[in-house]
Amino acid sequence: SRHIKTAERYPDVRRRSVVELGERCSYHADHANQVARLALTLFDGTKDDHELGAREREWLEFGALLHDIGSHINYESHHKHSYYLIRHGELRGFDPEEVEVIGLIARYHRQALPKKSHEGFNRLNGRLRRIVKILGALVRLAEGLDRSHTQVIRGLSATSQRDGIKVRLKTAGDSELELWAAARHAAPLADLLGKPIAIESAGGKQ
């Protein structure tokens, strides 16, 4: 059965239940994995700025993998649908607070920034609100870097210096849409980390 196959691929129950939820919602695995990969590389390159650890890194990965699962209900509000599907997705191996955080990371991968009045966000303590803001902003930037859903960004490096964060992209093919989207979506992360973010591709600076 499909469940047994997934169990063989993902022995870790948390990761397995995330992938199974994605598959139940017909997620686009290539795009989801690309956004997760880019978000994790951005996380690792900026860890001196956000000072988050392994647990938050895992939440980031799972929120990135599930960020678009609401699309099959309705694209227009898919970020909100993703949040509800994660909240009610019976993810195994997580405590309720972790499920809330992963759901909110998906909720905030689009234009809306977290507000204290938002359902779910208003239940978190100050430390977790900061974590959700940072991880949501990382997914938002990573999502911009696969805007065309064609994985034209082959990889990236992120380095943080005192005067700013430099993101260098390795591209394959036309990445104009990605560069435009990334430049637009870098601002919330730059604000949270207190540093400007410069994005460069092999074809020069944007």
Side-chain angles (χ1 to χ4, degrees), residues 5-200:
K5 283 202 186 92
T6 321
E8 285 166 359
R9 274 187 307 160
Y10 304 99
D12 167 40
V13 66
R14 286 158 68 95
R15 182 174 302 277
R16 184 161 77 243
S17 70
V18 165
V19 172
E20 283 173 353
L21 177 58
E23 288 175 348
R24 283 204 304 277
C25 298
S26 311
Y27 80 148
H28 298 215
D30 290 347
H31 174 64
N33 283 302
Q34 171 80 341
V35 171
R37 197 164 60 89
L38 297 175
L40 290 173
T41 309
L42 290 166
F43 178 97
D44 293 341
T46 56
K47 62 177 183 289
D48 291 345
D49 302 299
H50 57 63
E51 298 179 326
L52 301 177
R55 192 174 174 211
E56 292 87 1
R57 190 180 188 275
E58 192 184 45
W59 293 342
L60 171 67
E61 183 181 6
F62 295 156
L65 285 171
L66 297 175
H67 76 279
D68 264 351
I69 61 170
S71 296
H72 79 299
I73 296 176
N74 166 347
Y75 186 77
E76 209 35 62
S77 315
H78 78 272
H79 55 299
K80 292 181 187 172
H81 293 302
S82 295
Y83 169 65
Y84 286 112
L85 288 166
I86 292 165
R87 287 273 316 278
H88 303 292
E90 294 172 12
L91 289 174
R92 299 183 306 288
F94 297 91
D95 66 45
E97 199 169 61
E98 289 184 294
V99 173
E100 189 72 70
V101 167
I102 292 165
L104 288 167
I105 292 166
R107 161 87 170 78
Y108 295 122
H109 83 271
R110 291 185 85 199
Q111 264 67 352
L113 294 174
K115 288 197 182 88
K116 277 190 179 170
S117 58
H118 286 163
E119 186 199 348
F121 192 70
N122 59 16
R123 289 194 289 267
L124 298 181
N125 63 37
R127 188 184 70 86
L128 283 174
R129 280 182 190 160
R130 175 179 174 267
I131 289 167
V132 163
K133 283 180 182 174
I134 291 167
L135 301 184
L138 284 163
V139 173
R140 185 176 177 173
L141 177 52
E143 218 274 337
L145 289 168
D146 197 40
R147 195 48 166 303
S148 59
H149 288 220
T150 53
Q151 293 80 61
V152 293
I153 307 297
R154 286 283 177 256
L156 63 82
S157 66
T159 48
S160 181
Q161 279 130 5
R162 206 162 17 182
D163 59 344
I165 294 159
K166 191 169 284 185
V167 177
R168 288 181 189 272
L169 307 176
K170 297 186 200 93
T171 61
D174 179 12
S175 56
E176 203 173 325
L177 182 61
E178 273 68 22
L179 287 162
W180 171 81
R184 199 162 150 249
H185 292 314
L189 184 63
D191 287 347
L192 288 163
L193 301 181
K195 283 182 182 176
I197 297 175
I199 297 169
E200 299 177 2

